[in-house]
Amino acid sequence: MMKSGLSLLQSVLALLGGLTALCGLVGAAISADADILLTVAVGLGALTLVRFVFRPISFWLDGLAAVLIAVALVLALPRGSAMPGHYWFAMVSAWAFAWLFVDQLSGEIRKGTVPRKTMGLLIPAVFGISLLVMWEIVTRGANVPPVLLPAPSAIGAQLENSRGILWADFVQTFVKSVIPGYIIGCLAGLIVAIAVDRSPFLKAGLLPIGNFMSALPIIGIAPIMVMWFGFDWQSKAAVVVAMTFFPMLVNTVAGLNAASTIERDLMRTYAANYWQTLVKLRLPAAGPFIFNALKINSTLALIGAIVAEFFGTPVVGMGFRISTGVGRLAIDLVWAEIAVAAVAGSAFYGVIALIERGVTFWHPSVRGGRA
Amino acid sequence: MIPVVSAQNLGLTFSTNDGDVVALSDVNLTIEKGDFVSFIGPSGCGKTTFLRTIADLEQPTSGTLRINGQTPEDARKNRAYGYVFQAPALYPWRTIEKNIALPLEIMGHSPQQQAERIKRTMDLVNLSGFEKKYPWQLSGGMQQRASIARALAFDADLLLMDEPFGALDEIVRDHLNSELLKLWDRTQKTICFVTHSIPEAVYLSTKIVVMSPRPGRVTDIIESNLPKERPLDIRETPEFLAIAARVRDGLRAGHSYEEVV
């Protein structure tokens, strides 16, 4: 143990990875038609056990072992049947080596021996790829019915084959429903918030109603919106407007009160009028609150548009494809659609977060300094 | 000549849930052009309230108050004064020069005028070279200097300062005090300065207003005969110490420290 230079957890992982690779090697040796590449890979994995008797090895070799075993295993997976028993040893081995690699890498980053900027990105990448590889091996290796869970490769192939359909769905749901609904809903929330803030009457009357409405399950109004605005994107955009309006309203009303008393007194000493105070003080001070609402709404809007399409739509749209895809047992298409939605949603959120960093650069939460 | 500030029998009572609180009672005071007036007293004596009343941030409930012969509200609308608060209150999304430009933008100065005045006031408070910095990139003393520059930028004749150096350490405070004196000498402004430091009040002022709490009232007004030229070591001279002793006496007379809580 001392010779390997590893922590307890790392030692356990190294031992597990090496021993399972050894088991995989033995399994390959006694089986009739061993896959050559996989045999070589697990052989290399088993060789890492020398670190316990000879000398420590670089953690990059652990990463290499993980990649080699994973690639060989995925290539060796049989089509249409479960994989041989000893392949499972190889899978556990690849997983252990990947974990061992990431654990050592993060340790090295903390010590400063490898640059944080580039290598820091490697950790989530290894994590995500490991997850996909495991998913691939388990679904195909155990011959899981595609209706329950298709393999990532099948979803990828479906993404490639149905590019036209997926693009049309994306345009229908994201470009036509989410974006206009989001803009209208957020803008309306912002304007009404300013009006509510200005008028004590509206504040007393509208805000409680707003809070009540925001507690309603907005999705429940989707069928009504379909009746009012028709089957096409307009009704979905209307649902998105309803979903995004209240978070923006409530956040902006709170944000408009964020300016401190001294900051307001200052405006008063300049004899600034209402609009000057609003534009030069209160709206900038409300920025962090407004961006909070924009970020919340970016995910709400996509959920709203997709679910609203379950209640009636022309024969295009992400929600339509998901609901009919499940009905036709075209589960890989459903997953492809979910993947598109996830990427679109993350990108949307990411863009808003980037704009936020640019606009509210001064806020302690962004600049990471003192208040 | 019309006095800059003139208060007669001024009173201010706050109504709170716990009943009325008398913040100011029967204050009579005249401040002439070019005076440097310090208001000193323990907390709760109404010195800040009086300054805020001059600035029309609070409204008196009795008596009369005139600023340049006008009501406080008219004076505020005519931008008769610049106010320096206890905290710098610089807007963090604006650079230092943009913060100083804030009152100029609101009062509708042209961009050329703004640039010229920003340059002049930043020179005046020794902040040149920090135009493009954000407030949170500067030290507390520099932030407070920027807020003084902001109050000076639109050239009001009256400068109201509410414990502007209260949050700073003594070394920085001494330095800013002597700079403030030079600035006052150069600009010929009338300055009202709230403090709870006796040396600060004596060092800066031509007139020291001693106040006492419950109810807030003026107990003594001391005219200082110190020369206008005041190096920092003037604080060791007998004349300085004599005025400081009189201020201390005034504070003691107006305030029983063995008070009921």
Side-chain angles (χ1 to χ4, degrees):
Chain A
M1 285 280 165
M2 296 313 293
K3 268 185 188 154
S4 59
L6 300 172
S7 71
L8 182 61
L9 171 73
Q10 289 169 346
S11 301
V12 170
L13 286 170
L15 206 58
L16 181 66
L19 289 179
T20 46
L22 196 62
C23 292
L25 190 63
V26 171
I30 58 176
S31 70
D33 48 345
D35 183 87
I36 297 165
L37 192 57
L38 184 60
T39 310
V40 172
V42 290
L44 273 173
L47 265 181
T48 61
L49 283 172
V50 300
R51 80 176 105 207
F52 291 109
V53 288
F54 187 47
R55 64 187 213 65
I57 59 171
S58 162
F59 67 96
W60 293 105
L61 285 178
D62 291 317
L64 184 70
V67 170
L68 274 180
I69 298 174
V71 169
L73 185 53
V74 169
L75 289 178
L77 282 175
R79 303 210 166 269
S81 64
M83 64 184 182
H86 65 269
Y87 279 26
W88 291 104
F89 285 116
M91 188 190 91
V92 174
S93 180
W95 167 78
F97 279 123
W99 188 351
L100 181 58
F101 171 69
V102 170
D103 201 75
Q104 293 180 92
L105 179 64
S106 61
E108 295 297 321
I109 290 177
R110 219 175 306 129
K111 271 190 269 170
T113 43
V114 291
R116 174 180 297 271
K117 261 225 166 96
T118 45
M119 292 304 152
L121 286 177
L122 204 56
I123 292 175
V126 169
F127 197 85
I129 292 169
S130 304
L131 216 63
L132 284 177
V133 169
M134 290 294 137
W135 180 355
E136 180 81 24
I137 294 170
V138 169
T139 46
R140 278 173 63 193
N143 214 7
V144 174
V147 170
L148 286 184
L149 186 65
S153 58
I155 297 169
Q158 189 60 252
L159 269 171
E160 186 61 32
N161 293 337
S162 324
R163 222 188 286 164
I165 295 178
L166 291 172
W167 175 250
D169 290 347
F170 173 78
V171 169
Q172 171 74 17
T173 303
F174 198 84
V175 179
K176 287 187 183 165
S177 308
V178 170
I179 300 283
Y182 178 82
I183 293 174
I184 296 171
C186 289
L187 217 57
L190 185 72
I191 292 167
V192 172
I194 292 170
V196 162
D197 177 77
R198 181 102 211 243
S199 144
F201 161 69
L202 286 180
K203 197 167 206 160
L206 202 62
L207 216 50
I209 296 178
N211 287 330
F212 175 73
M213 293 279 287
S214 64
L216 289 177
I218 296 290
I219 283 308
I221 66 168
I224 296 167
M225 290 299 169
V226 171
M227 288 206 295
W228 286 358
F229 297 104
F231 279 101
D232 210 346
W233 58 268
Q234 290 88 343
S235 56
K236 285 43 172 204
V239 171
V240 174
V241 169
M243 279 190 95
T244 54
F245 177 76
F246 293 108
M248 185 52 112
L249 173 66
V250 174
N251 270 287
T252 308
V253 167
L256 286 173
N257 292 317
S260 69
T261 317
I262 283 192
E263 287 171 331
R264 283 158 206 252
D265 279 350
L266 186 70
M267 279 297 185
R268 198 173 145 78
T269 67
Y270 298 151
N273 64 34
Y274 169 81
W275 291 106
Q276 287 171 328
T277 309
L278 184 71
V279 171
K280 292 190 192 294
L281 170 62
R282 300 180 66 206
L283 276 179
F289 291 80
I290 294 172
F291 273 102
N292 245 343
L294 287 174
K295 286 195 290 188
I296 295 168
N297 282 345
S298 71
T299 48
L300 275 183
L302 194 58
I303 297 171
I306 289 177
V307 177
E309 284 179 353
F310 291 180
F311 298 96
T313 172
V315 290
V316 63
M318 297 166 101
F320 165 78
R321 201 70 61 198
I322 289 170
S323 61
T324 56
V326 169
R328 296 191 296 125
L329 295 184
I331 302 300
D332 44 0
L333 185 58
V334 172
W335 278 97
E337 203 72 70
I338 290 171
V340 171
V343 170
S346 310
F348 193 15
Y349 186 94
V351 167
I352 303 288
L354 268 181
I355 298 174
E356 179 188 28
R357 289 190 72 86
V359 174
T360 63
F361 64 93
W362 50 271
H363 196 256
S365 69
V366 177
R367 64 184 154 88
R370 60 208 155 90
Chain B
M1 204 166 82
I2 306 169
V4 178
V5 176
S6 122
Q8 268 126 38
N9 309 321
L10 194 73
L12 197 161
T13 306
F14 292 114
S15 315
T16 69
N17 291 334
D18 298 335
D20 289 354
V21 176
V22 182
L24 290 175
S25 149
D26 199 28
V27 172
N28 291 289
L29 185 69
T30 305
I31 297 172
E32 301 293 344
K33 187 167 167 35
D35 276 352
F36 195 127
V37 184
S38 282
F39 296 85
I40 189 164
S43 18
C45 71
K47 54 194 192 297
T48 293
T49 307
F50 183 62
L51 206 66
R52 289 175 63 84
T53 314
I54 297 174
D56 191 36
L57 295 173
E58 310 285 355
Q59 277 70 45
T61 43
S62 64
T64 56
L65 179 64
R66 287 288 173 272
I67 317 296
N68 298 327
Q70 298 172 320
T71 63
E73 191 185 356
D74 287 342
R76 177 173 65 83
K77 290 188 171 153
N78 289 331
R79 281 101 183 208
Y81 64 85
Y83 201 108
V84 180
F85 292 88
Q86 277 170 344
L90 300 163
Y91 293 178
W93 51 87
R94 285 172 170 255
T95 58
I96 295 299
E97 64 174 358
K98 284 286 165 198
N99 263 293
I100 297 173
L102 178 72
L104 304 173
E105 286 171 19
I106 288 168
M107 297 170 193
H109 291 260
S110 71
Q112 295 94 313
Q113 256 180 325
Q114 289 185 22
E116 183 261 315
R117 279 165 182 246
I118 290 165
K119 194 187 170 319
R120 199 185 62 209
T121 48
M122 287 198 67
D123 281 346
L124 214 53
V125 299
N126 288 330
L127 264 185
S128 304
F130 294 94
E131 288 85 354
K132 308 283 182 208
K133 294 277 185 206
Y134 285 93
W136 28 273
Q137 295 170 321
L138 302 186
S139 67
M142 289 166 98
Q143 290 185 24
Q144 198 54 281
R145 271 193 280 179
S147 92
I148 293 171
R150 183 181 55 188
L152 292 171
F154 52 99
D155 253 344
D157 285 329
L158 176 60
L159 194 57
L160 305 174
M161 308 179 87
D162 182 8
E163 292 190 42
F165 310 136
L168 305 176
D169 66 66
E170 197 156 342
I171 301 163
V172 177
R173 179 190 266 228
D174 277 353
H175 178 64
L176 290 180
N177 275 342
S178 65
E179 281 191 15
L180 180 60
L181 269 188
K182 283 185 209 138
L183 193 144
W184 169 64
D185 188 39
R186 250 178 295 167
T187 56
Q188 302 292 316
K189 293 200 187 299
T190 311
I191 298 183
C192 295
F193 190 94
V194 167
T195 180
H196 51 229
S197 154
I198 296 174
E200 189 174 62
V202 180
Y203 176 68
L204 292 170
S205 320
T206 58
K207 186 187 264 189
I208 301 160
V209 178
V210 183
M211 298 182 75
S212 76
R214 275 173 288 272
R217 64 194 187 281
V218 174
T219 49
D220 197 3
I221 297 175
I222 302 163
E223 303 279 347
S224 167
N225 50 5
L226 293 177
K228 216 167 177 188
E229 231 6 77
R230 295 178 191 182
L232 273 171
D233 52 21
I234 199 172
R235 293 180 298 185
E236 273 95 59
T237 62
E239 294 84 2
F240 185 96
L241 296 173
I243 298 171
R246 196 176 149 197
V247 174
R248 196 169 289 113
D249 286 345
L251 285 172
R252 202 172 294 137
H255 188 78
S256 52
Y257 283 97
E258 53 282 7
E259 65 192 61
V260 274
V261 180

